[in-house]
Structure formats: structure tokens, C-alpha cells
Amino acid sequence: MSEQAAGSATETGDRTTTGDESTVVDSPPPLRVTDLEKHFGGITAVDGVSFDVHEGTLTGLIGPNGAGKSTAFDCITGVYTPDAGTVEFNGEDITGLEPFEICNRGLVRTFQIARELEKMTVLENLMLAPAGQRGESLWQSVTPIARRGVAAEERELRERVWETLEFFEIDHLAASYAGTLSGGQRKLLELSRALMTDPDVVLLDEPLAGVNPSLEKKLLERIHDLREEGYTFLLVEHDMDVIMTHCERVIVMHQGRKLAEGTPAEITSNERVIDAYLGGEV
Ligand SMILES: Nc1ncnc2c1ncn2[C@@H]1O[C@H](COP(=O)(O)OP(=O)(O)OP(=O)(O)O)[C@@H](O)[C@H]1O
Ligand SMILES: [Mg+2]
């Protein structure tokens, strides 16, 4: 399954067959990062990084602490404007756009440290997430927004919030204040909020850190369910077992640079990766 997904991608883009099965067109990958750079004073956090994330894949982004993974996410999602390089989303240059503009286009991320609003309930947190109305998805809205009244819109939003809470099995926490949740529950809330925006591509920054094994299993199952629906994920994670078991492509960063890229098998046998990063773990 994973080889099949990875195998459908080419160097230049994702290959899609049209209605006429004999015609194969190259479409751009959902996410393409080219020569990305970000400096903080004398520190080069991201140093000329390029990679593609292909449609429908779960791609891992790994590297030691300080490798530049979160900063790369920040540059991709508009938290920082990169000092050089470009970010293309579905073939369009989104470099330097504001985070909300990038989110509106369908590229969303979660943060390493969850950013839910602690003094609001779980339900309120989801009601406040910028709900997407961008057509087909798990939560497809059928009627154009302009033809619906505010009450109908609110009702639809509530329905979607409850569907999302049920999907992540946190509906029993709807009335709890976000600040009272466990670390794992916060991660589920964070992902729920991201999903409310109806994205195509989701960047996950250590979504499993501090999550207990049963919640971790649930979160990974939900991620796989969403992939089946056509969502694309880029996952930063330190647990190599998770990366090697669940991702079909892996990108390795080290000291701001891309050290390697390939299938889990290629990465675990890559001498440079073993020397610089994996060491005794392999
Ligand atoms: N706002 C900032 N100001 C100054 N330096 C920063 C800033 N953000 C990150 N850095 C530095 O940039 C480098 C990359 O940090 P980054 O957080 O992107 O790494 P990371 O790969 O996400 O690490 P971790 O696995 O620990 O989360 C580090 O040297 C870090 O100290
Ligand atoms: Mg980080």
C-alpha cells in the first residue's frame, strides 16, 4: 500500500490519469518547497531546503533537535516569511502570504505546543476555528453559503463541530475547558481544530509528543482514515518506529539542511543519516 502510494509520484509532480485512461498528465504536487532559507541573526535555521509532498501521502519530516523542522513549517505556513526560496501549494506560489490566507487555500498546520484557547470549552474552540467551505471533503457543505441564512449556517457549523468531535472521540469532552485536558486530549483538539478548516494538506508538528499509547493509536488511526479520504500529511515526529511504520516517504533534516529523502527502508540504510542522526537506534 505504501509503496503503491509512493510509486505514483514522479520527480516533477503527481501523475494523474484523466477520464481518457490513455492520457497521463503531470500535475504539481500539493506542496513544493524550493531552496527555503530562514535566518535568525547569526543562526541559519533552514538552509536551502527543497522537497515535494505528494498527494495522499503521509510523509515524515525527521531530524535531531534544532534541525529546523518547526522553522520550515513556520515558513511554509506563513508564520515566518522565508529569507529565500519558495513555497508552492497546488502549483501556486504562496511564499510570504499571511497564515490565514494559506489556511484558506487549504494548507493548515498544528503546533508543537498546542495553541488551543484554554479558557474556552472544547466545543467553543472548534466553533471558533475558521470553518472551511471549500467543497468536497469529509464534511462537504451542499448548499452555497450565500443561499443559507445565518441560523442555518450556525446549525451547519454546529453539526460539523459535533461530527469532528465524534470522529476524534472527544465529544464527551465538549463542555470541558481546554485548559483542563490532558496532553493527549489537547493534541486531539489541536488536530480537530485544524480539520475544521477543511484542508487539503495538514502539517503536523509532533502531534504524538506527550500522548499516551492508546490515544497515540487512536490519533494514528484517524490520520490513516483521513488519508483514505484524500488528505495529505507532513508529519514531524521523533519516534522512529512511528515514522518507519506509518510513512511512505521520509525527509531528513540536519543542521538546517536536507540530509536525505526516500522510503523508510532507504532512510534506515542511508549511511549519512545513520552517522548524523539515527546512530545506535538502527
Ligand atoms: N525565533 C527564533 N529565534 C532564534 N532562533 C530560533 C528561533 N526559532 C528557532 N530558532 C533556532 O533555529 C534552529 C532550528 O530550530 P527549530 O525549532 O526549527 O528546530 P526543530 O527541528 O523543530 O527542533 P525540535 O525537534 O527540538 O523541535 C535552532 O537552532 C533554534 O534554536
Ligand atoms: Mg520543532
Side-chain angles (χ1 to χ4, degrees):
M1 180 347 232
S2 56
E3 277 177 11
Q4 193 184 4
S8 69
T10 66
E11 278 302 299
T12 52
D14 289 346
R15 309 204 91 197
T16 324
T17 49
T18 61
D20 171 5
E21 285 302 317
S22 62
T23 316
V24 178
V25 290
D26 278 338
S27 56
L31 180 62
R32 169 165 288 170
V33 172
T34 310
D35 300 331
L36 200 68
E37 259 182 62
K38 181 69 190 171
H39 309 273
F40 297 108
I43 297 169
T44 302
V46 178
D47 192 3
V49 167
S50 302
F51 59 81
D52 289 349
V53 175
H54 296 286
E55 191 169 355
T57 59
L58 172 54
T59 300
L61 177 59
I62 65 172
N65 295 118
K69 306 178 297 292
S70 294
T71 307
F73 270 23
D74 289 333
C75 292
I76 292 168
T77 56
V79 176
Y80 293 136
T81 301
D83 295 315
T86 56
V87 180
E88 289 163 77
F89 180 63
N90 289 332
E92 289 179 19
D93 189 346
I94 59 162
T95 321
L97 291 185
E98 293 294 329
F100 77 90
E101 293 174 298
I102 293 173
C103 176
N104 282 345
R105 286 171 186 240
L107 175 60
V108 72
R109 57 92 58 86
T110 63
F111 287 87
Q112 192 166 351
I113 297 166
R115 293 195 169 184
E116 76 288 329
L117 302 164
E118 298 198 348
K119 294 199 169 134
M120 290 197 175
T121 65
V122 166
L123 184 74
E124 287 164 345
N125 262 277
L126 259 67
M127 291 293 287
L128 283 177
Q133 287 109 23
R134 299 178 322 98
E136 286 186 36
S137 78
L138 207 61
W139 299 278
Q140 183 172 20
S141 55
V142 182
T143 320
I145 202 90
R147 289 172 52 202
R148 278 179 274 136
V150 173
E153 206 180 300
E154 162 114 14
R155 195 166 54 241
E156 192 174 293
L157 175 62
R158 273 187 179 275
E159 276 170 19
R160 204 159 114 181
V161 164
W162 279 107
E163 271 179 50
T164 308
L165 291 173
E166 284 161 19
F167 181 71
F168 287 101
E169 297 175 29
I170 51 172
D171 44 320
H172 61 290
L173 298 170
S176 304
Y177 286 101
T180 66
L181 302 184
S182 71
Q185 291 166 336
R186 282 181 192 218
K187 296 284 187 177
L188 286 171
L189 174 58
E190 174 96 348
L191 188 52
S192 306
R193 274 164 48 101
L195 264 292
M196 280 298 294
T197 66
D198 198 6
D200 292 334
V201 177
V202 186
L203 310 189
L204 301 167
D205 198 350
E206 300 196 28
L208 306 174
V211 175
N212 73 43
S214 80
L215 272 186
E216 175 176 313
K217 187 165 170 283
K218 185 190 292 183
L219 234 153
L220 286 166
E221 281 170 5
R222 292 291 87 94
I223 291 169
H224 281 294
D225 290 345
L226 291 163
R227 278 180 62 227
E228 302 281 311
E229 298 284 336
Y231 289 76
T232 301
F233 290 94
L234 180 62
L235 169 70
V236 169
E237 176 53 49
H238 282 287
D239 184 332
M240 283 309 120
D241 285 343
V242 168
I243 290 286
M244 297 307 168
T245 311
H246 294 273
C247 297
E248 54 261 300
R249 301 282 303 170
V250 183
I251 298 155
V252 187
M253 282 183 72
H254 182 59
Q255 296 178 343
R257 302 211 170 137
K258 186 175 84 174
L259 189 68
E261 185 179 355
T263 63
E266 287 165 350
I267 293 302
T268 39
S269 58
N270 182 305
E271 293 290 335
R272 294 176 70 204
V273 177
I274 293 168
D275 284 350
Y277 179 36
L278 295 175
E281 282 194 51
V282 181

